[in-house]
Amino acid sequence: MLYLALFQKSFQRMMTYRAATLAGIATNFFFGLLRAYLFIAVFEASGQAQIAGYSLKDAITFTALTQAIGMPIAILQWWWEVMRTIRSGEIVSDLTKPFHYFGFWLARDLGRAAFHFIFRGLPILLFFPLFFELRWPDSLAHWGLFLLSVLLAVLISFCWRFLINLSAFWFLDAMGIGRFAWLTMTFFSGFLVPVAFFPDWLRYVVNLTPMPAMVNTPIEVYLGIVQGTELWAALGSQLAWAVGMGLLCEWVYRRGVRRLIIQGG
Amino acid sequence: MLALYFVLIGARIRSQMQYKFSFIADFFATFIGMGLEFAGTLVLFTHMPALGGWTLPEVALLYGTVELSFALANMIAEGFDSLSNVIRLGEFDRFLLRPRDVFFQVLASEFAMRRIGRVAQAVLVLGAGLWLLQADWGLERWLFLGWTVLGGTVFFIGLFVIGATFAFWTIEGLETVNIFTHGGVTMASYPLNIFAEWMRNFFVFVLPLAFVNFYPALFLLEKPDPFGLPGFMPFLAFPLCSLVLFVGAAFWRVGVRHYQSTGS
């Protein structure tokens, strides 16, 4: 099947950057350690065993997990590919090919995300226990739910990036918009600090957006902070965001193509 | 040479200002986006009175100085940041043909005006920190602050040069350098005493990151040195930062001599 092949090729393409992968693991690992020591100091200074429902062990696991899923969710590295093809006019050749445009990029992005999860994410989780004790999911089903939540987070992140990339249909230079979308993601998704730590008003506002569904939700699923009906509600809300944003992508794309003007040629 | 530098950089800046909308959009994107990094610290401070013995305005001073140095270095040393592309495309040969120092040419080849948003947010956080501290300093301390930012800028330019020089061997840029540049900024945004001993030792004795802002801040805020090192440490800041650039420039000369052209 075409999309499966695209997924595979994208995965294999990533395999060729061996040195970059190793360097990336080292960098993510270092950042993970930095942030872990930061949270240790925060807990020490707060004089409390728990902050907003997180124990110190939870917070340290949070630092490892964010570094591990940061690449699959493309929060550590923004994605400009669609914007680039619109600007260069290469998009014309993609439009003439018999595939679903959104599906084409999604399949490729999932291939990239799968590679990053296995080769950039798992090593962080494997090496982190050399420095700190981590919390681990207590059953296979728990692991499964975490993986499902990560997959949904990747889908939402993809839709978000795809939408922002499509702004290039309307603006010749949408780099600023892209950079803004990317940098806001790192804070509002709960990547830097768990959303639970936010002041009430900010947490309320952030929860109206899809941001926490990209990082905060998978982490809370992993840590068991959401359980029972809350857990299903969290996964359900992720699914709703993924479907809703996917449909929005398709709609915006169709409108964008209608106004597409290819310059030069 | 200085006059020539400003002619070349002036042309660069003018060309980047041609697209006004995209420049302004980029400015606000970076200004707000990078500022959110400090919002993370603000959130953490809602759960504690001080971090490692440093209050919020004091941490703002640490953050503001290192961010400002880094952002300025990033603007100035953009030519080195994009060097691996130049080498990969085989365009570096052109630099070698011209009758000017290669280091100077690469430095003058780019100036990233778009990073001004990061400079602005650093100035804002630094200003807010100083205002909250009600810094009632004599002239010598204000000068010392300026000297500190300059030292940090020199330090990071040195690191960018070292990172770029690796591209003469690896063609691709060396991503591990990010640990020292971006990782260094992140680390120096917080009091150094909250980190593990091996990390601190590395950033005091091997790569003098501690001198970019931590030791100068101890002097400015009259805080005792948590590591119990001699009192003259803050005054080593500028010489040690310059040393990094000096080492970078020496390494650069080795790299240029080693350069083998790419392409066909």
Side-chain angles (χ1 to χ4, degrees):
Chain A
M1 189 194 150
L2 171 69
Y3 299 98
L4 201 63
L6 283 167
F7 173 89
Q8 234 171 19
K9 289 289 160 213
S10 171
F11 187 97
Q12 283 164 358
R13 190 170 74 107
M14 301 302 300
M15 298 278 280
T16 54
Y17 302 110
R18 290 218 181 88
T21 300
L22 283 175
I25 292 171
T27 309
N28 294 157
F29 194 74
F30 180 77
F31 268 91
L33 290 184
L34 263 186
R35 309 199 62 78
Y37 285 115
L38 172 64
F39 276 93
I40 291 172
V42 169
F43 272 77
E44 206 173 292
S46 79
Q48 286 164 330
Q50 278 211 339
I51 296 178
Y54 280 65
S55 67
L56 179 56
K57 195 173 170 186
D58 289 337
I60 290 174
T61 308
F62 162 86
T63 63
L65 277 178
T66 44
Q67 290 302 318
I69 64 173
M71 284 305 285
I73 287 161
I75 213 162
L76 293 169
Q77 193 176 52
W78 185 252
W79 176 84
W80 305 99
E81 287 189 44
V82 168
M83 194 177 282
R84 194 175 46 76
T85 65
I86 296 174
R87 287 181 69 181
S88 68
E90 272 171 71
I91 188 173
V92 176
S93 80
D94 291 336
L95 291 176
T96 56
K97 289 173 197 158
F99 55 57
H100 189 262
Y101 191 73
F102 177 79
F104 164 72
W105 287 106
L106 177 60
R108 294 186 57 169
D109 194 57
L110 286 176
R112 176 203 62 76
F115 174 86
H116 279 151
F117 187 80
I118 296 169
F119 293 100
R120 291 286 292 268
L122 294 182
I124 306 278
L125 291 182
L126 284 176
F127 292 129
F128 228 73
L130 292 175
F131 289 84
F132 301 106
E133 209 184 314
L134 294 186
R135 181 179 289 281
W136 299 99
D138 41 26
S139 66
L140 219 54
H142 192 169
W143 272 110
L145 288 169
F146 168 64
L147 290 178
L148 176 66
S149 185
V150 170
L151 174 66
L152 289 168
V154 172
L155 288 175
I156 298 166
S157 142
F158 173 76
C159 290
W160 171 245
R161 287 175 280 136
F162 191 77
L163 273 175
I164 299 294
N165 271 260
L166 290 184
S167 65
F169 278 129
W170 285 269
F171 303 101
L172 262 181
D173 185 18
M175 294 287 272
I177 298 171
R179 199 164 287 129
F180 184 69
W182 175 27
L183 292 170
T184 46
M185 207 170 136
T186 52
F187 177 71
F188 293 112
S189 66
F191 182 83
L192 288 177
V193 178
V195 172
F197 283 42
F198 289 9
D200 290 338
W201 62 270
L202 185 59
R203 196 171 57 235
Y204 178 79
V205 173
V206 163
N207 278 329
L208 298 175
T209 72
M211 296 287 167
M214 297 187 220
V215 177
N216 199 60
T217 308
I219 286 171
E220 294 202 335
V221 168
Y222 181 100
L223 294 175
I225 287 175
V226 282
Q227 282 187 338
T229 44
E230 268 189 4
L231 169 67
W232 296 110
L235 291 173
S237 129
Q238 274 189 307
L239 185 66
W241 277 116
V243 172
M245 288 173 77
L247 292 172
L248 185 63
C249 284
E250 184 64 24
W251 183 73
V252 171
Y253 163 72
R254 286 192 188 169
R255 292 193 50 136
V257 167
R258 259 188 275 142
R259 8 176 331 136
L260 178 66
I261 301 162
I262 301 294
Q263 305 188 350
Chain B
M1 200 110 120
L2 205 62
L4 179 61
Y5 177 78
F6 285 112
V7 169
L8 290 168
I9 291 308
R12 278 276 144 206
I13 294 172
R14 276 194 300 281
S15 88
Q16 287 169 48
M17 301 295 268
Q18 289 305 305
Y19 302 91
K20 287 224 171 50
F21 172 76
S22 94
F23 178 79
I24 293 167
D26 226 34
F27 174 84
F28 282 105
T30 317
F31 178 75
I32 299 170
M34 295 307 304
L36 284 173
E37 183 97 22
F38 193 69
T41 304
L42 287 177
V43 167
L44 291 177
F45 264 96
T46 62
H47 298 281
M48 60 189 176
L51 179 65
W54 293 63
T55 62
L56 180 59
E58 290 172 343
V59 173
L61 175 71
L62 284 177
Y63 176 93
T65 42
V66 73
E67 271 283 316
L68 184 56
S69 296
F70 185 79
L72 289 173
N74 228 340
M75 270 173 114
I76 298 166
E78 173 76 4
F80 292 96
D81 222 26
S82 51
L83 186 76
S84 65
N85 277 331
V86 174
I87 292 180
R88 195 172 54 239
L89 298 171
E91 284 172 5
F92 188 72
D93 299 35
R94 264 196 271 161
F95 286 114
L96 296 171
L97 290 172
R98 297 183 193 135
R100 289 273 174 195
D101 180 62
V102 184
F103 188 88
F104 170 77
Q105 285 186 57
V106 174
L107 190 67
S109 68
E110 289 286 350
F111 188 87
M113 201 59 198
R114 65 195 155 84
R115 314 246 192 222
I116 193 93
R118 191 162 184 176
V119 173
Q121 66 94 19
V123 169
L124 184 75
V125 174
L126 180 60
L130 290 171
W131 186 69
L132 287 171
L133 283 167
Q134 304 200 304
D136 186 18
W137 296 343
L139 181 66
E140 77 284 354
R141 275 186 203 213
W142 288 106
L143 286 177
F144 189 79
L145 178 67
W147 198 234
T148 298
V149 171
L150 190 67
T153 310
V154 166
F155 173 90
F156 284 114
I157 292 177
L159 279 191
F160 287 133
V161 171
I162 293 170
T165 303
F166 280 107
F168 287 116
W169 285 274
T170 60
I171 309 301
E172 290 291 327
L174 196 72
E175 272 191 70
T176 357
V177 177
N178 281 343
I179 291 184
F180 304 113
T181 53
H182 293 93
V185 176
T186 306
M187 192 160 165
S189 305
Y190 303 103
L192 203 60
N193 49 298
I194 67 169
F195 297 106
E197 206 180 329
W198 64 270
M199 283 170 137
R200 291 185 330 224
N201 287 339
F202 180 82
F203 285 110
V204 175
F205 298 112
V206 184
L207 185 71
L209 180 75
F211 294 91
V212 168
N213 66 343
F214 185 74
Y215 273 104
L218 286 179
F219 169 74
L220 287 170
L221 300 168
E222 295 176 20
K223 288 174 93 74
D225 182 355
F227 313 132
L229 293 170
F232 59 80
M233 295 298 269
F235 304 100
L236 291 180
F238 196 82
L240 283 170
C241 288
S242 313
L243 187 66
V244 172
L245 181 59
F246 184 76
V247 169
F251 183 46
W252 169 262
R253 291 195 199 283
V254 178
V256 172
R257 238 177 287 135
H258 187 272
Y259 172 68
Q260 295 170 310
S261 192
T262 56
S264 48

